[in-house]
Amino acid sequence: MFDRWYASELQAKLNRPYVHLLFGARQTGKSTLLNQLLPEDTLRFNLADPHERSRQLANPGEFAQACRGLPANRKSQFVFVDEAQSVPAIFDAVQSLYDADKTRWRFVLCGSSARKLRMTGTNLLPGRSLLHHLYPLTLAEHPAKADKIPRAISPLPFPWSGGPAAKNPFPAWNLLTRLAYGALPGIVAADAQDRPGLLKAYAFVHLEEEIRREALVKDWGAFVRFLQLAAAESGQMLNFANISQETGISQPTVKGYYQLLEDMFVGIRVSAYAKSPRKNLLSTPKFLFFDLGVRHAAAGLNPSPELVKANPGPMLEQWVGIELWHRLQYLGEGRLYHQRTRAGAEVDFIIEHGGKLTPIEVKWTENPTLNDARHLLTFLEEKSKEAARGYVICRCPRPLQLHEKITALPWFCL
């Protein structure tokens, strides 16, 4: 078994006497992690199995009967429901059982979509539950591999705040490989020749199954056209009018489709930073796919290092944004922004955390210069009270100080 960064924190939280909700996109390792952490005698319901799902939909009372059928003298008996959003009535049953006896059962519910739960007004157990999320692998779980990494630079801490390196990390990849295939656990652990096919299956089988199962899209052909174009434009600012014109879908429907991707945890919206004295800033958010490998496949492209080489800069920028966003989500605090003026001056990412701002520029260069950081310097001057330092993330072999307030960092030191 490979180490997941969130495992130790999740294990500690599972011991607390609440209902636990774990959400995340398909294939991010939710079930694998929970099956690793939960006791062997856990009562399990796998609603991804069509037979089990149909059984629970046909007889909503059976779930509560099975829970009550467990030995009454056992306390904190774990009950695990996978893909719980498939049968929303289970949430009401869990609340009834939990309110009746808070010590007899420890419920763990796992899901890959929040859309159906929100649309049906499902009871998410306020005051009774702890919410968790799991994402594709971060750099701490899936270490860097590159010939030019100096030996003096130690492995990334696991977790980042001073801990030891992971004992059982996922296979190390170089930059081109991770930009080509993304960071889904199953893809990283798979043989190289299988990765493109697995990613295409994810984009066109798992997403289709998820969407059709919940009856979220009536015109599948129109959604496929939208998905391909949205994936191709991942990393750019949202342009609903352009997507609408290219796909022949109304703008309200396009907006709803983007929201659907977020609800399924496969889309990331990066808001524009607006707290600036400048008046010529754009307010449009960026949109990123949660994983670069899935992005390539959803865009109808063949995931490969050769694909990345054709235009590597935007791929590196998206990878940095995905990595930063996932880390902030695990920390449970902070926000990620971008900034662009009408004239085109841009700060790729701005981290807001602990009352401080950190601007980030991403460049596909091995030899960064101060010219690469000119927009960072402008931002630091404007926000001198909140922003002390900025960083250029690039392919330099070691950290370089470009200015007293600007440091260039190798991608593997992010």
mmCIF file of all heavy atoms in Angstrom, residues 110-146:
data_model
loop_
_atom_site.group_PDB
_atom_site.id
_atom_site.type_symbol
_atom_site.label_atom_id
_atom_site.label_comp_id
_atom_site.label_asym_id
_atom_site.label_seq_id
_atom_site.Cartn_x
_atom_site.Cartn_y
_atom_site.Cartn_z
ATOM 1 N N CYS A 110 -19.250 7.878 1.770
ATOM 2 C CA CYS A 110 -18.291 8.280 0.752
ATOM 3 C C CYS A 110 -19.059 8.618 -0.523
ATOM 4 O O CYS A 110 -20.025 7.933 -0.872
ATOM 5 C CB CYS A 110 -17.315 7.121 0.528
ATOM 6 S SG CYS A 110 -16.040 7.408 -0.664
ATOM 7 N N GLY A 111 -18.642 9.665 -1.245
ATOM 8 C CA GLY A 111 -19.355 10.037 -2.470
ATOM 9 C C GLY A 111 -18.479 10.765 -3.461
ATOM 10 O O GLY A 111 -17.459 11.356 -3.102
ATOM 11 N N SER A 112 -18.897 10.735 -4.740
ATOM 12 C CA SER A 112 -18.133 11.380 -5.806
ATOM 13 C C SER A 112 -18.906 12.484 -6.500
ATOM 14 O O SER A 112 -18.452 13.004 -7.519
ATOM 15 C CB SER A 112 -17.697 10.334 -6.848
ATOM 16 O OG SER A 112 -18.827 9.668 -7.387
ATOM 17 N N SER A 113 -20.059 12.865 -5.956
ATOM 18 C CA SER A 113 -20.819 13.959 -6.546
ATOM 19 C C SER A 113 -21.696 14.598 -5.481
ATOM 20 O O SER A 113 -22.366 13.888 -4.713
ATOM 21 C CB SER A 113 -21.697 13.465 -7.700
ATOM 22 O OG SER A 113 -22.536 14.500 -8.169
ATOM 23 N N ALA A 114 -21.675 15.918 -5.455
ATOM 24 C CA ALA A 114 -22.533 16.638 -4.521
ATOM 25 C C ALA A 114 -23.782 17.177 -5.211
ATOM 26 O O ALA A 114 -24.659 17.738 -4.578
ATOM 27 C CB ALA A 114 -21.765 17.801 -3.877
ATOM 28 N N ARG A 115 -23.859 17.000 -6.520
ATOM 29 C CA ARG A 115 -24.940 17.592 -7.299
ATOM 30 C C ARG A 115 -26.304 17.042 -6.892
ATOM 31 O O ARG A 115 -27.227 17.793 -6.585
ATOM 32 C CB ARG A 115 -24.683 17.325 -8.787
ATOM 33 C CG ARG A 115 -25.771 17.821 -9.732
ATOM 34 C CD ARG A 115 -25.656 19.307 -9.967
ATOM 35 N NE ARG A 115 -26.454 19.737 -11.103
ATOM 36 C CZ ARG A 115 -26.254 20.875 -11.737
ATOM 37 N NH1 ARG A 115 -25.281 21.675 -11.363
ATOM 38 N NH2 ARG A 115 -27.006 21.230 -12.745
ATOM 39 N N LYS A 116 -26.411 15.719 -6.933
ATOM 40 C CA LYS A 116 -27.706 15.119 -6.644
ATOM 41 C C LYS A 116 -28.127 15.402 -5.212
ATOM 42 O O LYS A 116 -29.312 15.620 -4.930
ATOM 43 C CB LYS A 116 -27.651 13.618 -6.900
ATOM 44 C CG LYS A 116 -29.010 12.940 -6.852
ATOM 45 C CD LYS A 116 -28.927 11.512 -7.340
ATOM 46 C CE LYS A 116 -30.303 10.879 -7.409
ATOM 47 N NZ LYS A 116 -30.231 9.488 -7.940
ATOM 48 N N LEU A 117 -27.158 15.416 -4.317
ATOM 49 C CA LEU A 117 -27.484 15.685 -2.915
ATOM 50 C C LEU A 117 -28.056 17.083 -2.757
ATOM 51 O O LEU A 117 -29.023 17.305 -2.037
ATOM 52 C CB LEU A 117 -26.232 15.516 -2.058
ATOM 53 C CG LEU A 117 -25.602 14.120 -2.054
ATOM 54 C CD1 LEU A 117 -24.355 14.109 -1.183
ATOM 55 C CD2 LEU A 117 -26.607 13.075 -1.567
ATOM 56 N N ARG A 118 -27.439 18.058 -3.442
ATOM 57 C CA ARG A 118 -27.919 19.427 -3.326
ATOM 58 C C ARG A 118 -29.249 19.614 -4.038
ATOM 59 O O ARG A 118 -30.160 20.280 -3.528
ATOM 60 C CB ARG A 118 -26.888 20.398 -3.891
ATOM 61 C CG ARG A 118 -27.226 21.856 -3.597
ATOM 62 C CD ARG A 118 -26.164 22.830 -4.054
ATOM 63 N NE ARG A 118 -26.125 22.933 -5.492
ATOM 64 C CZ ARG A 118 -25.103 22.538 -6.254
ATOM 65 N NH1 ARG A 118 -24.047 21.993 -5.686
ATOM 66 N NH2 ARG A 118 -25.131 22.659 -7.558
ATOM 67 N N MET A 119 -29.388 19.011 -5.231
ATOM 68 C CA MET A 119 -30.599 19.194 -6.024
ATOM 69 C C MET A 119 -31.816 18.569 -5.348
ATOM 70 O O MET A 119 -32.931 19.044 -5.497
ATOM 71 C CB MET A 119 -30.404 18.591 -7.419
ATOM 72 C CG MET A 119 -29.316 19.275 -8.245
ATOM 73 S SD MET A 119 -29.699 20.990 -8.660
ATOM 74 C CE MET A 119 -31.009 20.745 -9.864
ATOM 75 N N THR A 120 -31.606 17.467 -4.617
ATOM 76 C CA THR A 120 -32.722 16.805 -3.954
ATOM 77 C C THR A 120 -32.912 17.277 -2.518
ATOM 78 O O THR A 120 -33.773 16.768 -1.811
ATOM 79 C CB THR A 120 -32.514 15.274 -3.959
ATOM 80 O OG1 THR A 120 -31.272 14.969 -3.302
ATOM 81 C CG2 THR A 120 -32.477 14.740 -5.377
ATOM 82 N N GLY A 121 -32.091 18.246 -2.098
ATOM 83 C CA GLY A 121 -32.209 18.746 -0.732
ATOM 84 C C GLY A 121 -31.855 17.703 0.306
ATOM 85 O O GLY A 121 -32.429 17.672 1.396
ATOM 86 N N THR A 122 -30.904 16.842 -0.045
ATOM 87 C CA THR A 122 -30.525 15.754 0.866
ATOM 88 C C THR A 122 -30.000 16.290 2.190
ATOM 89 O O THR A 122 -29.262 17.276 2.234
ATOM 90 C CB THR A 122 -29.456 14.867 0.208
ATOM 91 O OG1 THR A 122 -30.011 14.301 -0.982
ATOM 92 C CG2 THR A 122 -29.023 13.748 1.136
ATOM 93 N N ASN A 123 -30.347 15.613 3.240
ATOM 94 C CA ASN A 123 -29.911 15.961 4.580
ATOM 95 C C ASN A 123 -28.434 15.584 4.750
ATOM 96 O O ASN A 123 -28.087 14.409 4.768
ATOM 97 C CB ASN A 123 -30.790 15.192 5.590
ATOM 98 C CG ASN A 123 -30.331 15.386 7.012
ATOM 99 O OD1 ASN A 123 -29.507 16.234 7.317
ATOM 100 N ND2 ASN A 123 -30.896 14.593 7.908
ATOM 101 N N LEU A 124 -27.559 16.572 4.854
ATOM 102 C CA LEU A 124 -26.134 16.311 5.041
ATOM 103 C C LEU A 124 -25.735 16.339 6.512
ATOM 104 O O LEU A 124 -24.577 16.571 6.839
ATOM 105 C CB LEU A 124 -25.307 17.323 4.232
ATOM 106 C CG LEU A 124 -25.369 17.144 2.714
ATOM 107 C CD1 LEU A 124 -24.525 18.194 2.015
ATOM 108 C CD2 LEU A 124 -24.931 15.745 2.302
ATOM 109 N N LEU A 125 -26.708 16.111 7.372
ATOM 110 C CA LEU A 125 -26.465 15.864 8.788
ATOM 111 C C LEU A 125 -25.744 17.017 9.477
ATOM 112 O O LEU A 125 -24.699 16.822 10.116
ATOM 113 C CB LEU A 125 -25.658 14.567 8.953
ATOM 114 C CG LEU A 125 -26.205 13.368 8.165
ATOM 115 C CD1 LEU A 125 -25.195 12.253 8.109
ATOM 116 C CD2 LEU A 125 -27.506 12.894 8.775
ATOM 117 N N PRO A 126 -26.259 18.231 9.367
ATOM 118 C CA PRO A 126 -25.592 19.359 10.035
ATOM 119 C C PRO A 126 -25.539 19.163 11.535
ATOM 120 O O PRO A 126 -26.499 18.700 12.158
ATOM 121 C CB PRO A 126 -26.478 20.554 9.649
ATOM 122 C CG PRO A 126 -27.813 19.967 9.309
ATOM 123 C CD PRO A 126 -27.508 18.628 8.699
ATOM 124 N N GLY A 127 -24.398 19.496 12.126
ATOM 125 C CA GLY A 127 -24.216 19.342 13.555
ATOM 126 C C GLY A 127 -23.885 17.930 13.986
ATOM 127 O O GLY A 127 -23.602 17.689 15.158
ATOM 128 N N ARG A 128 -23.931 16.980 13.037
ATOM 129 C CA ARG A 128 -23.659 15.585 13.368
ATOM 130 C C ARG A 128 -22.477 15.023 12.590
ATOM 131 O O ARG A 128 -22.063 13.901 12.857
ATOM 132 C CB ARG A 128 -24.893 14.722 13.068
ATOM 133 C CG ARG A 128 -26.169 15.167 13.765
ATOM 134 C CD ARG A 128 -27.363 14.431 13.175
ATOM 135 N NE ARG A 128 -28.610 14.749 13.850
ATOM 136 C CZ ARG A 128 -29.367 15.797 13.562
ATOM 137 N NH1 ARG A 128 -28.975 16.652 12.625
ATOM 138 N NH2 ARG A 128 -30.499 16.019 14.211
ATOM 139 N N SER A 129 -21.980 15.768 11.597
ATOM 140 C CA SER A 129 -21.017 15.185 10.663
ATOM 141 C C SER A 129 -19.755 16.023 10.540
ATOM 142 O O SER A 129 -19.757 17.238 10.755
ATOM 143 C CB SER A 129 -21.659 15.023 9.280
ATOM 144 O OG SER A 129 -22.024 16.290 8.756
ATOM 145 N N LEU A 130 -18.671 15.334 10.161
ATOM 146 C CA LEU A 130 -17.425 15.972 9.769
ATOM 147 C C LEU A 130 -17.209 15.704 8.286
ATOM 148 O O LEU A 130 -17.362 14.569 7.822
ATOM 149 C CB LEU A 130 -16.245 15.409 10.573
ATOM 150 C CG LEU A 130 -16.225 15.716 12.066
ATOM 151 C CD1 LEU A 130 -15.003 15.058 12.713
ATOM 152 C CD2 LEU A 130 -16.215 17.212 12.329
ATOM 153 N N LEU A 131 -16.859 16.756 7.549
ATOM 154 C CA LEU A 131 -16.703 16.651 6.097
ATOM 155 C C LEU A 131 -15.229 16.549 5.740
ATOM 156 O O LEU A 131 -14.399 17.327 6.214
ATOM 157 C CB LEU A 131 -17.328 17.880 5.414
ATOM 158 C CG LEU A 131 -17.273 17.928 3.891
ATOM 159 C CD1 LEU A 131 -18.026 16.737 3.285
ATOM 160 C CD2 LEU A 131 -17.860 19.243 3.390
ATOM 161 N N HIS A 132 -14.892 15.585 4.884
ATOM 162 C CA HIS A 132 -13.525 15.381 4.423
ATOM 163 C C HIS A 132 -13.520 15.349 2.892
ATOM 164 O O HIS A 132 -14.527 15.011 2.264
ATOM 165 C CB HIS A 132 -12.953 14.054 4.939
ATOM 166 C CG HIS A 132 -13.268 13.760 6.370
ATOM 167 N ND1 HIS A 132 -12.511 14.246 7.417
ATOM 168 C CD2 HIS A 132 -14.268 13.032 6.942
ATOM 169 C CE1 HIS A 132 -13.023 13.824 8.570
ATOM 170 N NE2 HIS A 132 -14.090 13.093 8.302
ATOM 171 N N HIS A 133 -12.372 15.648 2.291
ATOM 172 C CA HIS A 133 -12.206 15.543 0.844
ATOM 173 C C HIS A 133 -10.899 14.823 0.535
ATOM 174 O O HIS A 133 -9.910 14.960 1.273
ATOM 175 C CB HIS A 133 -12.193 16.925 0.184
ATOM 176 C CG HIS A 133 -13.523 17.599 0.150
ATOM 177 N ND1 HIS A 133 -13.957 18.455 1.153
ATOM 178 C CD2 HIS A 133 -14.537 17.539 -0.747
ATOM 179 C CE1 HIS A 133 -15.172 18.886 0.864
ATOM 180 N NE2 HIS A 133 -15.544 18.352 -0.286
ATOM 181 N N LEU A 134 -10.893 14.085 -0.563
ATOM 182 C CA LEU A 134 -9.676 13.441 -1.042
ATOM 183 C C LEU A 134 -9.460 13.845 -2.487
ATOM 184 O O LEU A 134 -10.410 13.871 -3.290
ATOM 185 C CB LEU A 134 -9.779 11.915 -0.928
ATOM 186 C CG LEU A 134 -8.463 11.152 -1.098
ATOM 187 C CD1 LEU A 134 -7.501 11.475 0.054
ATOM 188 C CD2 LEU A 134 -8.704 9.647 -1.163
ATOM 189 N N TYR A 135 -8.227 14.141 -2.831
ATOM 190 C CA TYR A 135 -7.873 14.662 -4.150
ATOM 191 C C TYR A 135 -6.814 13.768 -4.798
ATOM 192 O O TYR A 135 -6.258 12.874 -4.145
ATOM 193 C CB TYR A 135 -7.350 16.093 -4.011
ATOM 194 C CG TYR A 135 -8.336 17.023 -3.356
ATOM 195 C CD1 TYR A 135 -8.227 17.353 -1.998
ATOM 196 C CD2 TYR A 135 -9.406 17.550 -4.067
ATOM 197 C CE1 TYR A 135 -9.142 18.186 -1.385
ATOM 198 C CE2 TYR A 135 -10.331 18.389 -3.459
ATOM 199 C CZ TYR A 135 -10.194 18.709 -2.117
ATOM 200 O OH TYR A 135 -11.115 19.522 -1.515
ATOM 201 N N PRO A 136 -6.522 13.991 -6.079
ATOM 202 C CA PRO A 136 -5.389 13.277 -6.684
ATOM 203 C C PRO A 136 -4.102 13.529 -5.900
ATOM 204 O O PRO A 136 -4.038 14.404 -5.033
ATOM 205 C CB PRO A 136 -5.322 13.863 -8.094
ATOM 206 C CG PRO A 136 -6.714 14.311 -8.377
ATOM 207 C CD PRO A 136 -7.242 14.817 -7.065
ATOM 208 N N LEU A 137 -3.081 12.790 -6.229
ATOM 209 C CA LEU A 137 -1.843 12.824 -5.458
ATOM 210 C C LEU A 137 -1.170 14.192 -5.531
ATOM 211 O O LEU A 137 -1.120 14.824 -6.587
ATOM 212 C CB LEU A 137 -0.873 11.771 -5.984
ATOM 213 C CG LEU A 137 -1.393 10.332 -6.006
ATOM 214 C CD1 LEU A 137 -0.358 9.414 -6.628
ATOM 215 C CD2 LEU A 137 -1.760 9.870 -4.611
ATOM 216 N N THR A 138 -0.646 14.633 -4.395
ATOM 217 C CA THR A 138 0.165 15.840 -4.346
ATOM 218 C C THR A 138 1.635 15.461 -4.494
ATOM 219 O O THR A 138 1.996 14.283 -4.491
ATOM 220 C CB THR A 138 -0.035 16.571 -3.010
ATOM 221 O OG1 THR A 138 0.440 15.720 -1.949
ATOM 222 C CG2 THR A 138 -1.503 16.905 -2.773
ATOM 223 N N LEU A 139 2.476 16.467 -4.603
ATOM 224 C CA LEU A 139 3.908 16.231 -4.756
ATOM 225 C C LEU A 139 4.493 15.502 -3.553
ATOM 226 O O LEU A 139 5.477 14.769 -3.672
ATOM 227 C CB LEU A 139 4.624 17.571 -4.969
ATOM 228 C CG LEU A 139 6.073 17.549 -5.436
ATOM 229 C CD1 LEU A 139 6.242 16.749 -6.710
ATOM 230 C CD2 LEU A 139 6.576 18.977 -5.634
ATOM 231 N N ALA A 140 3.892 15.667 -2.379
ATOM 232 C CA ALA A 140 4.369 14.978 -1.182
ATOM 233 C C ALA A 140 4.134 13.476 -1.261
ATOM 234 O O ALA A 140 4.891 12.688 -0.691
ATOM 235 C CB ALA A 140 3.682 15.538 0.062
ATOM 236 N N GLU A 141 3.068 13.050 -1.961
ATOM 237 C CA GLU A 141 2.739 11.630 -2.065
ATOM 238 C C GLU A 141 3.374 10.983 -3.295
ATOM 239 O O GLU A 141 3.547 9.767 -3.348
ATOM 240 C CB GLU A 141 1.219 11.470 -2.168
ATOM 241 C CG GLU A 141 0.457 12.082 -1.012
ATOM 242 C CD GLU A 141 -1.007 12.282 -1.342
ATOM 243 O OE1 GLU A 141 -1.345 13.225 -2.088
ATOM 244 O OE2 GLU A 141 -1.820 11.475 -0.862
ATOM 245 N N HIS A 142 3.693 11.797 -4.272
ATOM 246 C CA HIS A 142 4.110 11.340 -5.600
ATOM 247 C C HIS A 142 5.376 12.120 -5.952
ATOM 248 O O HIS A 142 5.331 13.115 -6.657
ATOM 249 C CB HIS A 142 2.958 11.647 -6.563
ATOM 250 C CG HIS A 142 3.202 11.329 -7.987
ATOM 251 N ND1 HIS A 142 4.063 10.352 -8.409
ATOM 252 C CD2 HIS A 142 2.672 11.869 -9.113
ATOM 253 C CE1 HIS A 142 4.047 10.303 -9.717
ATOM 254 N NE2 HIS A 142 3.218 11.225 -10.166
ATOM 255 N N PRO A 143 6.533 11.701 -5.425
ATOM 256 C CA PRO A 143 7.735 12.540 -5.434
ATOM 257 C C PRO A 143 8.309 12.792 -6.829
ATOM 258 O O PRO A 143 7.957 12.130 -7.804
ATOM 259 C CB PRO A 143 8.718 11.750 -4.565
ATOM 260 C CG PRO A 143 8.247 10.338 -4.648
ATOM 261 C CD PRO A 143 6.759 10.410 -4.757
ATOM 262 N N ALA A 144 9.217 13.763 -6.852
ATOM 263 C CA ALA A 144 9.844 14.178 -8.101
ATOM 264 C C ALA A 144 10.982 13.252 -8.479
ATOM 265 O O ALA A 144 11.681 12.699 -7.626
ATOM 266 C CB ALA A 144 10.367 15.603 -7.966
ATOM 267 N N LYS A 145 11.165 13.094 -9.776
ATOM 268 C CA LYS A 145 12.284 12.327 -10.313
ATOM 269 C C LYS A 145 12.875 13.133 -11.461
ATOM 270 O O LYS A 145 12.203 13.391 -12.457
ATOM 271 C CB LYS A 145 11.816 10.968 -10.815
ATOM 272 C CG LYS A 145 12.920 10.135 -11.463
ATOM 273 C CD LYS A 145 12.356 8.822 -11.991
ATOM 274 C CE LYS A 145 13.428 7.987 -12.658
ATOM 275 N NZ LYS A 145 12.869 6.714 -13.204
ATOM 276 N N ALA A 146 14.120 13.545 -11.290
ATOM 277 C CA ALA A 146 14.770 14.326 -12.341
ATOM 278 C C ALA A 146 16.271 14.225 -12.171
ATOM 279 O O ALA A 146 16.790 14.221 -11.053
ATOM 280 C CB ALA A 146 14.324 15.795 -12.284
#
